[in-house]
Amino acid sequence: MTQTGILYGIGVGPGDPDLLTLKAVKALGEVDVIFAAASTKNDYSTAYAIAEPHLKKGVRVEHLGFPMTKDQDELEAAWKKNADIVSKVLNAGENAAFLTLGDPLTYSTYGYLQRTLLKMDPSFHLQAIPGITSFQAAASKIGLIMTESKESLLITSGVADPEELERQLDVADNAVILKAYKNFEDIRATLEKLRLDDKTVLVSRLGMEGESILMDIKDAPKTPHYFSLALVKKNKR
Amino acid sequence: MTQTGILYGIGVGPGDPDLLTLKAVKALGEVDVIFAAASTKNDYSTAYAIAEPHLKKGVRVEHLGFPMTKDQDELEAAWKKNADIVSKVLNAGENAAFLTLGDPLTYSTYGYLQRTLLKMDPSFHLQAIPGITSFQAAASKIGLIMTESKESLLITSGVADPEELERQLDVADNAVILKAYKNFEDIRATLEKLRLDDKTVLVSRLGMEGESILMDIKDAPKTPHYFSLALVKKNKR
C-alpha cells in the first residue's frame, strides 16, 4: 500500500517573496504538486504570484476554484470539490503544498481546506507552516510598536458586526482591522465615537504600486482600496 | 561626512532557525555588527542562538545587557546605555542588526531600543523586519485555526491585570495569552469562570526538549514552564 502524502499549508506572507520563511521555501522545493486558491472567475492567485520565484521548475500546479459568494451551501460544495482534488493527490502518495496569503491559520482559506480534509479522513497528514501576516508587514514598514508590556492587541476584520467591533475596540489597547475596506464608513464612525480616529493608521496596497499610508484615518477616502488594513494604537507615542 | 548606518530590528522567530524569513537572513548576511539582547547576569541570548546558523563568519557581535527588573529608572538607564552603544555604531556609518525573538514590534525589546534611539536622533534610519511569533508556531504545530471569517483574536500577556484579562477574554472570540506562566493560577481561574478552560490549549517549551501540549488547561501543573503560552478557541471544533 502506498503511504499517503503530506499536505503543507504554506503561509507565503503579505506580498514580498523575501518574506517567506526558509521552512516554507524548503517545503516548496520538495513537494510534487502546488495547489493555489483562485477565484472561479479567473485563474489568478496572488499567493501563487508571491511564491512563484521559489517554485521548482516544471512543478505541477493546480488551481482550486473558490467562488466569491456568501452562499454557505455553494461555499461548502466548492470546498468539498477542492478537498476531493487534494485527497486524490495525497492518497496517491504525493506530497503537496497549498499556498495561502499571510499565515495559514489566521483568516485563511487553508482553514476550510484543513477542516474538510480531516472530516473526509482524520488520518491525513497535514502540516501548516506559519507566515508573516499583512499587519506585521505594515507595522514594520512604519515602525509602529503594535503592543508591549501589559498591553493587548485585538485582531479583527471589516466583515465583523459593527456593534461587536465597538465592544472589542473599547476593551483592547491596540487593534488591527483587516479587510478595512468592508463597512469602511461604519468602521470610521466607530473609531470616531471612541475617539480613536487620530490614533488609527490606514495602510493600503502595502508594497504595491499606489501604496498609501495615512497616519490619520480621517484623511481616508470613502471607499479605500481592497487591500487596506487599519492599525489602531491607543497609546500612540 | 559619513552617512549614518541602518539598524535592522530583526524578528528571528520562535526558535527554529528555518522560521526566519529570507529577508531577515539576507540582512544578517550584510550587516557589520550584530546586537543581541541578553540578561545582565550572563551573556546568553536565545535570539542569538536561533540566528547563529545564519551569521557571517567573524561578524562582530555585541551583547546588550538588559536587567531583569521592574524598576522603571533602572530599565530606562539600561536602554539609554544600550542606545548609546548602538548609536555610536550607526554614527560611524556601519549597518547593524538587533536580534529579537518572534516579531520586533510585538512584545519585543526592540520597541524600547527604537523609541530610545529616535529620541536621541529622529533621523536615525531604523528598519524592522517582521518575524514569526510563538503563537503562530504553536497554532501551526497543532493545526489550530486561530481565527476565521467574522471572528476576532485577542493577543495578551500573563503580565496583564486579571480584571483586564477577564474583560478582554469575554468579548473576543479567540485569544492568545503569552507568558502564561505569569499569574498562572489567576489566568486559569479566569478561564474557568468564563467556562473556557476546556477550550484552552497550553503549549510549553515548543520545539524544545520537554515540549508539552495540553489540550485542556485544567491538566496543567500549578507552575508551568517559563516558555508557555495559552491558545483560547471559543468555537473549538
Side-chain angles (χ1 to χ4, degrees):
Chain A
M1 213 187 106
T2 318
Q3 216 181 337
T4 60
I6 302 172
L7 177 70
Y8 297 98
I10 298 186
V12 301
D16 179 348
D18 273 357
L19 283 179
L20 265 84
T21 65
L22 298 173
K23 193 167 188 169
V25 171
K26 284 182 186 173
L28 288 175
E30 285 166 10
V31 295
D32 307 296
V33 184
I34 303 285
F35 289 110
S39 157
T40 42
K41 285 189 195 157
N42 59 55
D43 261 2
Y44 189 76
S45 160
T46 310
Y48 179 78
I50 297 167
E52 202 173 9
H54 305 300
L55 302 184
K56 272 192 307 195
K57 270 195 181 146
V59 68
R60 219 161 87 224
V61 178
E62 298 199 23
H63 285 82
L64 300 180
F66 186 51
M68 287 291 196
T69 174
K70 284 179 183 171
D71 184 306
Q72 198 60 33
D73 290 343
E74 203 182 327
L75 283 172
E76 280 183 20
W79 278 108
K80 178 72 179 59
K81 191 178 151 195
N82 289 330
D84 277 337
I85 296 170
V86 175
S87 70
K88 277 190 193 115
V89 166
L90 300 181
N91 282 327
E94 292 185 301
N95 296 328
F98 178 83
L99 307 179
T100 187
L101 278 171
D103 180 82
L105 297 166
T106 311
Y107 298 112
S108 158
T109 48
Y110 175 70
Y112 301 101
L113 181 63
Q114 173 183 291
R115 190 180 288 128
T116 315
L117 281 169
L118 290 179
K119 254 188 218 163
M120 287 166 89
D121 184 348
S123 73
F124 273 137
H125 187 170
L126 311 181
Q127 181 59 61
I129 297 180
I132 301 296
T133 61
S134 56
F135 63 88
Q136 288 178 284
S140 281
K141 172 83 188 197
I142 57 175
L144 188 71
I145 300 165
M146 289 308 298
T147 188
E148 59 186 339
S149 187
K150 288 183 176 189
E151 293 177 1
S152 62
L153 173 66
L154 176 87
I155 300 160
T156 186
S157 155
V159 304
D161 304 314
E163 314 81 58
E164 281 297 305
L165 182 68
E166 184 177 341
R167 286 210 308 150
Q168 295 178 351
L169 283 178
D170 195 33
V171 298
D173 296 303
N174 309 296
V176 172
I177 306 170
L178 298 168
K179 293 199 177 180
Y181 72 98
K182 280 256 186 192
N183 303 317
F184 181 71
E185 282 304 332
D186 282 342
I187 293 170
R188 184 151 58 176
T190 302
L191 289 165
E192 206 177 323
K193 191 173 162 190
L194 297 170
R195 302 191 178 195
L196 292 173
D197 43 352
D198 64 343
K199 292 175 176 175
T200 302
V201 183
L202 186 73
V203 180
S204 299
R205 285 186 277 198
L206 180 70
M208 303 176 193
E209 214 181 296
E211 177 181 277
S212 137
I213 296 171
L214 298 170
M215 298 307 284
D216 187 328
I217 202 168
K218 275 210 265 332
D219 302 331
K222 276 196 170 182
T223 49
H225 189 265
Y226 177 84
F227 287 121
S228 291
L229 60 91
L231 304 173
V232 187
K233 176 89 183 156
K234 285 192 187 172
N235 301 316
K236 207 172 171 183
R237 353 175 211 188
Chain B
M1 213 186 109
T2 318
Q3 214 181 339
T4 60
I6 302 172
L7 177 70
Y8 297 98
I10 298 186
V12 300
D16 180 347
D18 273 357
L19 283 179
L20 265 84
T21 65
L22 298 174
K23 194 168 188 166
V25 171
K26 284 182 187 173
L28 288 175
E30 284 166 11
V31 296
D32 307 296
V33 185
I34 302 286
F35 290 110
S39 158
T40 42
K41 286 189 193 156
N42 59 57
D43 261 1
Y44 189 76
S45 159
T46 310
Y48 179 78
I50 297 167
E52 202 173 10
H54 305 299
L55 302 183
K56 272 192 305 196
K57 271 196 182 147
V59 67
R60 220 161 86 224
V61 179
E62 297 199 24
H63 285 83
L64 301 180
F66 186 49
M68 288 292 195
T69 173
K70 284 179 185 170
D71 185 305
Q72 197 59 32
D73 291 341
E74 202 181 327
L75 283 172
E76 280 182 21
W79 278 107
K80 178 74 178 62
K81 191 178 153 196
N82 289 331
D84 278 337
I85 296 169
V86 175
S87 70
K88 276 190 194 117
V89 167
L90 299 181
N91 283 328
E94 292 185 299
N95 296 327
F98 178 84
L99 307 179
T100 186
L101 277 172
D103 180 82
L105 296 165
T106 311
Y107 299 113
S108 158
T109 48
Y110 174 70
Y112 301 101
L113 181 63
Q114 173 184 291
R115 190 180 288 128
T116 315
L117 280 168
L118 290 178
K119 254 188 220 162
M120 286 167 91
D121 184 349
S123 73
F124 273 137
H125 187 171
L126 312 180
Q127 181 59 60
I129 297 181
I132 302 296
T133 60
S134 57
F135 61 88
Q136 288 177 286
S140 281
K141 172 83 186 195
I142 57 175
L144 190 71
I145 300 165
M146 288 310 296
T147 189
E148 60 186 336
S149 186
K150 289 183 175 188
E151 293 176 2
S152 62
L153 172 67
L154 176 88
I155 300 161
T156 187
S157 155
V159 304
D161 303 314
E163 315 81 56
E164 280 298 304
L165 181 68
E166 184 176 339
R167 284 209 312 149
Q168 296 179 351
L169 283 179
D170 195 32
V171 299
D173 296 304
N174 309 296
V176 172
I177 307 169
L178 297 168
K179 293 200 178 180
Y181 73 98
K182 280 256 186 191
N183 302 318
F184 182 70
E185 282 303 332
D186 282 340
I187 293 171
R188 183 151 59 177
T190 302
L191 289 165
E192 206 177 325
K193 191 172 162 191
L194 297 170
R195 301 192 178 194
L196 292 172
D197 45 352
D198 63 345
K199 292 175 176 175
T200 301
V201 183
L202 186 73
V203 180
S204 299
R205 284 187 276 200
L206 181 69
M208 302 175 192
E209 213 181 296
E211 178 182 275
S212 138
I213 296 171
L214 297 170
M215 298 307 285
D216 187 328
I217 203 168
K218 276 211 261 338
D219 301 331
K222 277 193 170 185
T223 50
H225 190 266
Y226 177 82
F227 286 122
S228 291
L229 61 90
L231 304 173
V232 187
K233 176 89 184 156
K234 285 193 185 171
N235 301 316
K236 208 172 172 183
R237 355 176 210 186

